Amino acid sequence: MSEGFGKGCHLHLIDGSAFIFRAFHALPPLTRKSDGLPIGAVAGFCNMIFKMVEDNKGPDAPTHVAVIFDYSGKSFRNDMYDKYKANRPPAPEDLVPQFPLTREATKAFNIACIEREGYEADDIIAAYAREAREAGGRVTIISSDKDLMQLVGGGVEMFDAMKNKRIGVEQVEEKFGVGPDRVIDVQALAGDSVDNVPGAPGIGVKTAALLINEYGDLESLLDRAEEIKQPKRRQTLIDNRAQIELSKKLVTLDDQTPLDVPLEALEVKDPDAEVAMKFLAEMEFRTLTKRVADILGVEPLVIAEPEKTADQAEAPELPPIDADKYECVRDAAALQRYIDQAHKRGYVAVDTETTGLDEMRADLVGVCLCVEPGDACYVPLTHKDGSDDLFGSDQLAEGQMDADQALAMLKPMLADPAILKIFQNAKYDAKIFARLGLDVAPCDDTMLMSYALNAGIHNHGMDVLSERYLSHAPIPIKTLLGTGKSAITFDRVPVDEAVKYAAEDADITLRLWQIFKPQLHRKQVTTVYEVMERPLMPVLAKMEMSGIKVDRDTLSRMSNAFAQKMAGLEAEIHELAGETFNVGSPAQVGEILFEKMALPGGKKGKTGKYSTPADVLEDLATEHDMPARILDWRQLSKLKSTYTDALQEHIHPETGRVHTSYVQTGANTGRLASTDPNLQNIPVRTEDGRRIREAFVAEPGNVIVSLDYSQIELRILAHVAGIDSLKQAFREGQDIHASTASEMFDVPLDEMTPEIRRQAKAINFGVIYGISGFGLARNLRIPRAEAQGFIDRYFERFPGIKEYMDDTVAFAKEHGYVQTLFGRKIHTPEINAKGPHAGFAKRAAINAPIQGAAADIIRRAMIRMPAAIEGLPAKMLLQVHDELLFEVAEDGVEPTIARVRDIMESAAHPAVHLDVPLVVDAGQGDNWAQAH
DNA sequence: GACATCACG
DNA sequence: GACGTACGTGATGTCC
């Protein structure tokens, strides 16, 4: 089999050390259960390796593979320059024991593990890459390290395993502004603070690329340094020549590094199942052990459950999750036994199986109950007999209870106040039951519990929770339903198969509930869960089922009008371009504008394509007609495809209304998200767009009423940061942006101009978002220095704001989360990261308590709303972050507005008494456009 | 399925 | 000293 290495071969070189560092910082800390050994980076490493083993069957699979590590200690570069990598902090304590483990992992998967004293991993990679290239093969370097980018080209490319992104010549040019062959020249000039490569002082990558492109290469540049026009740059290059030349030596990889293991010996080998299993079991990677066993076709090793520590002593001994042990309930007696158990215990986990994901259209197929871990059943109700022919028959499968009889038995249990019903995503099941006339209360919801506990750490779907907290990967629904065109609905799944999948979900839900319930208290989020999560679910369910009436004809007419206008614009655009092309393709638009027409300002994005967002085109509109036409076309295209066309599809055939679905756990900050369709981003900012709201109408005899909080986030900021002047302005009911402008620019209120007010408004928003000079400059289209000046002055005039921001970031760094006024925790796992992540995390941490508190307030109002409008002819239909929309009988409008406004304005009470008033504006009309 | 773009607060 | 940057979402079309 082994014929050496040559043409047609594909070598994968994995940069092991770099990967471990990145995995360590990117992944949550994970420890081995039995002894607390930190193994997060090892887990990330194994997952990556496993993915590669899995992909080894693919067409682009490697024929040869090796993992390369840095040899601990110094390399030959330290002999050239003693400060090389001298300012590297020592590896984190939790990472150190993981280094040898990753080498073991490599060997366990039967992959060559390479390192060499006196050399860095990068040098070994360079040497292998050179040999492979010379032999006519292809090379993929699994790394995102910029120091390796000099190797790209001529059959060598890189692959960023964490971002799942390939790095070719284009991406290198993107990063360095020069081709791979000149990368070392740029690096020599720019230096590298991380590795302590000095470079030329004051010159970064941008300037370096500029110089290299002008002079061809580093040597010519240094020889001709006298010719450089800018005096400072010229002097820098002349003065630091030796240092620059040394830097080049430091960044140049040694592709002559001696290789102990010849290229041929790196041939891909199948892992030895026994060795791999043993290692994974030792690490206690439960899920991975099963997956690897699956791929290798062996039995997974059983991993012993660790001894209970004192902390876990209360946790009961649980039977393993075993899909074959679940009961299929086919008659009333069997069902009654489970109902009796639910009565006896006072709780039961429930899950429904249906024909689809849309709760307003899906039909119930079966119900699962779980009364204790491992003791779960599935009650099939409307499975079809699929065996007859290709399409299946519509005959009910045999051995199922009569659906009406089963529901009649379940009904009193679901409504029994003494029995707690536990769901994962209760709103879905509650709506399915509600459409069948069954009320469900009281409910607990493991998804909402996870959200209260862990917002910002991970998502809250069953798969994630089960893997994370039960170390168990649930049966994927795909294995039952298939995918794509050939996918079937759950009622076509044979009952025997359905039992395992369905009952397992109820079992998992109950186990999660047992874990989360005590944690709510320990983590002090019981109030958040009980006051702001649990009671919101039925309110949202009711709103979603109400839906909002949407007039199809209005939308349809608008679609036609948009289509006509678009066709006209498209013809004009093609005329201007002198050729036809796809206006909807940003790539083609970029080509036409920046290549063919050679307009200025073309910037290429990550994928090497020209970037053509609206603000760029707006700037170009002064140069040429085409950008303006393209912008018009884009606006119409958006309105048509996302709104006037798509919304028609969402009108429910029976209710004639559009029913959105709110995701209660959708935003980390506590905001809701709206999907299928999203009714929280219906256009309003442009005239054409706003007309779409005319299609959102009230039933005859009713009106649409809208109430929204005025400046709620700025009011919260004034309160939490304790800014007296801001509070005062709000108490006096002033125009807050004008007031800010007056304070900042020393302009009296009665002399305020719209322009000055506009700038202050942008600053006010910027503050809420964790302002930066760059961001404000871009938003206001002013020079960066000027924007920074505004910010400095703002902080000077409102000193409490800066203090609040610093305190918030410090709190996040210490605790790993920030908190709203109402106790909601938003975790910030990236806050202590290095690199560009840190900036994002910082701004998110500053924003979260403000956005989150506003979200808490409107949630509190919504929860109180059903009782508040009881008896009024009013229905709450939609929430758009700071706005609530109602449909109200004409004669009930005034009292409804009065009561709703009262609830909204006092929603923070009694938990929090704000130092500023909350103010709610109201509007009404035949449609949403008029009401807003 | 990733990316670019754009709709909202 | 340079880097990359406003916060939070979801839907659509293109392109691989």
Side-chain angles (χ1 to χ4, degrees):
Chain A
M1 194 51 198
S2 175
E3 297 289 327
F5 188 95
K7 206 162 183 318
C9 288
H10 185 185
L11 171 65
H12 271 199
L13 293 167
I14 301 169
D15 184 357
S17 299
F19 188 89
I20 307 167
F21 269 94
R22 273 184 86 197
F24 180 78
H25 285 113
L27 302 173
L30 180 71
T31 55
R32 184 157 71 185
K33 260 193 188 166
S34 58
D35 61 358
L37 178 73
I39 44 165
V42 183
F45 182 81
C46 287
N47 272 311
M48 188 262 293
I49 297 280
F50 171 66
K51 237 182 102 190
M52 294 196 34
V53 172
E54 224 179 1
D55 292 345
N56 271 355
K57 315 263 179 303
D60 202 31
T63 55
H64 295 68
V65 61
V67 184
I68 325 288
F69 292 98
D70 283 319
Y71 192 89
S72 36
K74 309 214 157 176
S75 75
F76 65 87
R77 288 187 179 79
N78 293 97
D79 300 333
M80 292 194 241
Y81 183 58
D82 57 357
K83 297 200 190 78
Y84 179 70
K85 292 199 174 177
N87 55 5
R88 277 267 172 102
E93 220 172 280
D94 280 359
L95 183 53
V96 173
Q98 304 195 58
F99 290 131
L101 290 175
T102 43
R103 285 162 173 78
E104 271 186 51
T106 310
K107 290 170 191 155
F109 280 99
N110 207 9
I111 296 172
C113 178
I114 316 276
E115 54 194 308
R116 186 183 181 90
E117 184 170 10
Y119 292 87
E120 296 184 55
D122 293 356
D123 297 308
I124 304 173
I125 290 173
Y128 274 123
R130 177 189 54 77
E131 275 201 9
R133 208 180 50 225
E134 286 171 2
R138 279 177 57 215
V139 180
T140 301
I141 300 168
I142 317 293
S143 173
S144 58
D145 189 343
K146 62 180 177 0
D147 296 337
L148 287 165
M149 291 185 181
Q150 56 185 274
L151 302 174
V152 168
V156 180
E157 64 175 32
M158 294 170 64
F159 183 78
D160 182 338
M162 300 202 68
K163 290 192 184 150
N164 216 10
K165 225 176 61 182
R166 55 177 288 284
I167 301 168
V169 173
E170 266 183 42
Q171 286 71 30
V172 174
E173 282 171 352
E174 196 74 39
K175 175 136 187 96
F176 283 103
V178 296
D181 51 330
R182 296 272 79 91
V183 161
I184 46 176
D185 292 350
V186 168
Q187 285 187 292
L189 285 168
D192 185 337
S193 61
V194 180
D195 291 348
N196 221 19
V197 173
I203 292 185
V205 170
K206 289 265 160 65
T207 315
L210 211 70
L211 290 167
I212 295 298
N213 281 326
E214 194 175 339
Y215 290 84
D217 58 46
L218 184 65
E219 289 67 33
S220 313
L221 170 67
L222 293 175
D223 289 343
R224 294 164 55 197
E226 298 285 352
E227 298 170 23
I228 296 171
K229 288 172 213 93
Q230 297 88 338
K232 223 174 153 189
R233 256 182 223 173
R234 181 172 60 229
Q235 208 52 44
T236 305
L237 291 193
I238 294 170
D239 292 349
N240 295 289
R241 177 161 191 154
Q243 187 176 313
I244 294 166
E245 283 168 342
L246 169 68
S247 296
K248 179 157 178 176
K249 281 190 195 142
L250 289 173
V251 300
T252 304
L253 300 181
D254 180 7
D255 67 5
Q256 299 298 329
T257 300
L259 301 174
D260 300 324
V261 182
L263 198 48
E264 302 82 63
L266 304 182
E267 199 175 19
V268 170
K269 287 166 280 193
D270 281 334
D272 180 323
E274 204 178 315
V275 178
M277 278 296 108
K278 186 162 163 280
F279 176 78
L280 294 170
E282 249 171 51
M283 290 296 104
E284 298 171 17
F285 296 151
R286 288 172 173 78
T287 305
L288 196 57
T289 301
K290 278 180 207 141
R291 283 192 198 154
V292 172
D294 218 33
I295 283 273
L296 300 180
V298 296
E299 279 298 303
L301 278 188
V302 178
I303 298 165
E305 283 300 322
E307 298 290 313
K308 298 277 177 298
T309 64
D311 193 37
Q312 298 167 317
E314 57 188 287
E317 189 71 38
L318 296 185
I321 298 172
D322 182 350
D324 294 325
K325 293 236 172 97
Y326 300 125
E327 181 178 351
C328 184
V329 165
R330 299 182 186 273
D331 57 53
L335 178 56
Q336 191 58 48
R337 283 203 298 276
Y338 276 89
I339 293 175
D340 289 345
Q341 280 293 315
H343 268 106
K344 197 177 122 198
R345 292 165 199 268
Y347 60 81
V348 57
V350 185
D351 185 29
T352 58
E353 300 304 332
T354 66
T355 53
L357 291 171
D358 179 350
E359 316 92 305
M360 287 303 292
R361 302 182 194 214
D363 294 317
L364 184 68
V365 177
V367 176
C368 319
L369 303 174
C370 176
V371 289
E372 73 168 45
D375 190 357
C377 70
Y378 178 56
V379 191
L381 297 174
T382 60
H383 283 260
K384 302 291 198 305
D385 190 351
S387 59
D388 279 4
D389 56 65
L390 193 61
F391 304 101
S393 73
D394 284 331
Q395 290 263 297
L396 283 178
E398 292 197 0
Q400 300 182 91
M401 275 187 76
D402 175 69
D404 290 336
Q405 186 196 1
L407 291 175
M409 289 175 72
L410 289 168
K411 187 171 184 172
M413 181 191 84
L414 292 174
D416 192 331
I419 302 175
L420 178 67
K421 273 68 64 176
I422 302 158
F423 297 89
Q424 164 71 15
N425 190 9
K427 180 155 63 66
Y428 180 90
D429 305 273
K431 283 169 77 177
I432 295 290
F433 280 128
R435 280 178 47 225
L436 294 164
L438 275 65
D439 282 335
V440 188
C443 298
D444 251 342
D445 188 337
T446 48
M447 184 174 82
L448 299 182
M449 288 178 164
S450 173
Y451 183 57
L453 286 163
N454 298 313
I457 297 180
H458 54 67
N459 291 331
H460 315 285
M462 164 127 27
D463 292 0
V464 172
L465 300 184
S466 178
E467 292 230 17
R468 203 177 164 104
Y469 296 98
L470 305 173
S471 303
H472 174 79
I475 302 169
I477 185 75
K478 271 192 279 182
T479 59
L480 279 73
L481 304 184
T483 51
K485 254 178 106 180
S486 59
I488 55 170
T489 46
F490 201 84
D491 55 339
R492 300 282 175 194
V493 174
V495 170
D496 292 346
E497 292 296 307
V499 171
K500 300 178 194 173
Y501 167 85
E504 182 185 81
D505 279 0
D507 190 3
I508 289 169
T509 302
L510 187 68
R511 291 169 195 247
L512 289 172
W513 179 74
Q514 292 184 338
I515 291 172
F516 289 152
K517 192 83 186 165
Q519 278 191 17
L520 289 174
H521 192 66
R522 275 209 292 275
K523 302 270 176 70
Q524 304 190 319
V525 287
T526 306
T527 310
V528 172
Y529 174 70
E530 293 291 342
V531 175
M532 295 193 295
E533 303 299 342
R534 196 149 88 115
L536 185 60
M537 184 280 284
V539 178
L540 294 178
K542 196 171 160 194
M543 290 168 70
E544 293 169 13
M545 295 187 68
S546 295
I548 182 165
K549 188 174 180 185
V550 172
D551 186 63
R552 186 188 297 274
D553 287 348
T554 305
L555 293 178
S556 173
R557 273 198 300 273
M558 293 180 80
S559 277
N560 290 336
F562 289 152
Q564 281 207 348
K565 276 201 200 173
M566 282 169 71
L569 283 167
E570 197 169 326
E572 281 185 56
I573 292 165
H574 289 162
E575 176 77 36
L576 285 166
E579 66 177 289
T580 58
F581 65 100
N582 186 348
V583 185
S585 163
Q588 294 180 32
V589 167
E591 282 294 308
I592 295 283
L593 289 176
F594 298 117
E595 294 283 343
K596 182 161 186 192
M597 302 175 55
L599 291 176
K603 275 204 203 120
K604 294 196 174 178
K606 284 175 189 161
T607 45
K609 306 250 167 62
Y610 284 108
S611 164
T612 65
D615 54 340
V616 170
L617 297 193
E618 274 163 29
D619 289 342
L620 288 177
T622 55
E623 308 261 335
H624 201 280
D625 281 344
M626 172 142 27
R629 299 280 187 282
I630 293 173
L631 282 169
D632 289 343
W633 184 92
R634 276 195 187 161
Q635 198 199 6
L636 294 173
S637 165
K638 181 79 170 187
L639 295 178
K640 181 170 185 295
S641 67
T642 310
Y643 300 103
T644 56
D645 285 352
L647 276 173
Q648 295 185 55
E649 306 289 308
H650 282 284
I651 298 173
H652 194 283
E654 282 152 37
T655 65
R657 297 167 78 95
V658 170
H659 304 266
T660 185
S661 191
Y662 287 104
V663 189
Q664 208 177 325
T665 58
N668 290 338
T669 52
R671 274 196 180 177
L672 302 177
S674 161
T675 63
D676 306 304
N678 181 352
L679 294 186
Q680 290 182 320
N681 70 347
I682 302 301
V684 69
R685 291 173 189 173
T686 65
E687 183 56 42
D688 273 349
R690 191 156 46 238
R691 296 206 45 208
I692 291 171
R693 295 189 174 215
E694 292 172 9
F696 289 74
V697 296
E699 292 287 349
N702 289 258
V703 291
I704 299 288
V705 173
S706 159
L707 295 101
D708 68 288
Y709 285 107
S710 158
Q711 306 292 354
I712 187 165
E713 293 192 353
L714 276 176
R715 288 170 199 266
I716 289 165
L717 177 69
H719 173 90
V720 297
I723 314 297
D724 287 331
S725 54
L726 267 183
K727 291 187 205 167
Q728 189 64 28
F730 278 124
R731 283 198 203 106
E732 291 169 5
Q734 287 181 23
D735 172 340
I736 197 64
H737 301 313
S739 160
T740 303
S742 169
E743 186 94 18
M744 271 190 64
F745 300 112
D746 298 314
V747 179
L749 278 176
D750 49 14
E751 288 172 29
M752 188 55 54
T753 68
E755 179 53 22
I756 298 177
R757 182 181 180 278
R758 188 182 71 89
Q759 295 196 326
K761 184 175 173 182
I763 295 166
N764 275 334
F765 275 102
V767 167
I768 292 169
Y769 298 151
I771 199 159
S772 77
F774 183 93
L776 184 64
R778 208 176 55 157
N779 194 289
L780 284 176
R781 300 190 179 212
I782 56 175
R784 197 173 154 174
E786 195 179 334
Q788 191 57 52
F790 286 178
I791 295 170
D792 293 343
R793 183 147 51 190
Y794 183 91
F795 286 148
E796 215 174 280
R797 297 296 166 98
F798 302 97
I801 301 273
K802 184 90 177 76
E803 204 179 314
Y804 161 76
M805 290 182 162
D806 293 343
D807 290 351
T808 304
V809 172
F811 185 95
K813 284 188 171 171
E814 187 184 341
H815 296 96
Y817 65 84
V818 291
Q819 228 168 342
T820 69
L821 282 173
F822 301 88
R824 176 185 303 283
K825 290 181 180 178
I826 298 118
H827 293 83
T828 56
E830 301 263 80
I831 195 85
N832 289 315
K834 296 233 168 190
H837 297 331
F840 282 109
K842 227 168 111 172
R843 292 191 295 272
I846 290 167
N847 175 259
I850 301 168
Q851 187 183 115
D856 290 345
I857 288 172
I858 197 164
R859 277 175 178 238
R860 293 167 65 91
M862 291 169 74
I863 289 163
R864 292 172 191 177
M865 209 54 77
I869 60 175
E870 173 91 57
L872 289 171
K875 275 193 288 198
M876 182 159 61
L877 305 184
L878 299 179
Q879 187 249 44
V880 191
H881 308 309
D882 63 359
E883 171 187 10
L884 294 175
L885 207 69
F886 296 80
E887 185 174 22
V888 189
E890 277 163 5
D891 59 359
V893 169
E894 291 314 316
T896 300
I897 289 179
R899 278 202 221 168
V900 171
R901 173 179 275 140
D902 179 50
I903 293 294
M904 288 175 75
E905 291 185 342
S906 65
H909 297 165
V912 172
H913 284 267
L914 295 172
D915 299 339
V916 287
L918 291 179
V919 171
V920 168
D921 299 322
Q924 56 172 300
D926 293 333
N927 57 58
W928 196 359
Q930 287 175 18
H932 189 80

